Amino acid sequence: MPNNNKKTLLLISLVFVVPVLLAKLFLSLHLYQEGATNQGQLMSPSPTLAELDMVNSHQGKWQVVYLLPTDCDSHCMQRLYILKQTHTALGVYQDRVRSIVLLQRGSDLEALQDFDFELVVASPQLSEILTDQALVIIDPLGSLVMKYALSAAMEQELQQGKALISDLRKMLKLSRIG
């Protein structure tokens, strides 16, 4: 009888210990891929506008920003179009988001003739971060959260626009501020 009790105790112990050991093994060997639903590139560490010598004129609002280059080519025009369409596609969330074009010395202002964006002069520190024509989401507290780098193909650009809308909707849905 005592031998049977030992077997039962050992079996019950294994039922609880084996899953913990397997989980530890999977995590330590990196066999588990973390689930992430964002499609943009998270900016880590996340700089704030204040750290980049910028005044956050839309404190409490989400922002999608784009630094206008000195020569606005077809990719630049596509980015401006995506920025405009993103704001339109947000629907009921439009009032919580501002689409802003950042200007630097020598920005190609002629490219903005067909668009009606809010224009803000970018600090040199912010211009250094946004050299690759990226679209960037800024949270209501002024932190640069997510980046969408320039793609080579126009089809990928359109897919990135859809990804931006998807990520922004998720953040707006989950956010209690802004």
Side-chain angles (χ1 to χ4, degrees):
M1 204 68 163
N3 196 15
N4 198 13
N5 286 342
K6 286 182 181 180
K7 281 184 180 180
T8 305
L9 181 62
L10 181 64
L11 192 61
I12 290 174
S13 299
L14 286 175
V15 166
F16 290 103
V17 172
V18 169
V20 172
L21 292 175
L22 284 175
K24 176 67 176 159
L25 180 69
F26 268 73
L27 291 175
S28 63
L29 295 176
H30 303 288
L31 298 174
Y32 171 74
Q33 294 184 1
E34 298 177 11
T37 59
N38 61 298
Q39 297 172 43
Q41 176 188 358
L42 288 172
M43 297 184 72
S44 180
S46 181
T48 64
L49 290 175
E51 291 171 359
L52 300 171
D53 290 335
M54 289 287 297
V55 175
N56 189 359
S57 58
H58 294 290
Q59 186 77 21
K61 297 280 184 188
W62 288 86
Q63 301 167 51
V64 181
V65 299
Y66 175 69
L67 180 67
L68 190 65
T70 55
D71 181 30
C72 192
D73 58 4
S74 61
H75 287 290
C76 168
M77 293 303 288
Q78 184 71 22
R79 286 298 202 176
L80 292 171
Y81 176 76
I82 289 171
L83 186 61
K84 177 184 173 209
Q85 292 302 102
T86 298
H87 194 262
T88 304
L90 287 174
V92 297
Y93 295 124
Q94 279 184 3
D95 59 331
R96 296 176 62 191
V97 179
R98 297 289 176 257
S99 296
I100 299 172
V101 172
L102 300 172
L103 302 175
Q104 59 185 337
R105 178 169 288 144
S107 286
D108 188 2
L109 296 175
E110 291 179 19
L112 298 173
Q113 289 178 358
D114 298 333
F115 301 101
D116 185 30
F117 293 116
E118 180 176 345
L119 305 176
V120 175
V121 176
S123 69
Q125 293 89 340
L126 184 57
S127 296
E128 286 177 25
I129 292 177
L130 303 178
T131 56
D132 59 350
Q133 293 195 34
L135 290 167
V136 175
I137 297 175
I138 300 175
D139 73 6
L141 301 176
S143 297
L144 282 70
V145 178
M146 202 168 287
K147 182 177 184 178
Y148 299 84
L150 183 65
S151 298
M154 290 296 182
E155 182 63 32
Q156 289 176 335
E157 283 290 316
L158 294 175
Q159 290 300 322
Q160 222 176 36
K162 291 177 184 177
L164 173 71
I165 294 166
S166 174
D167 288 345
L168 197 51
R169 280 188 179 151
K170 286 176 197 167
M171 286 188 272
L172 289 167
K173 184 178 178 183
L174 297 172
S175 173
R176 295 180 184 219
I177 54 173

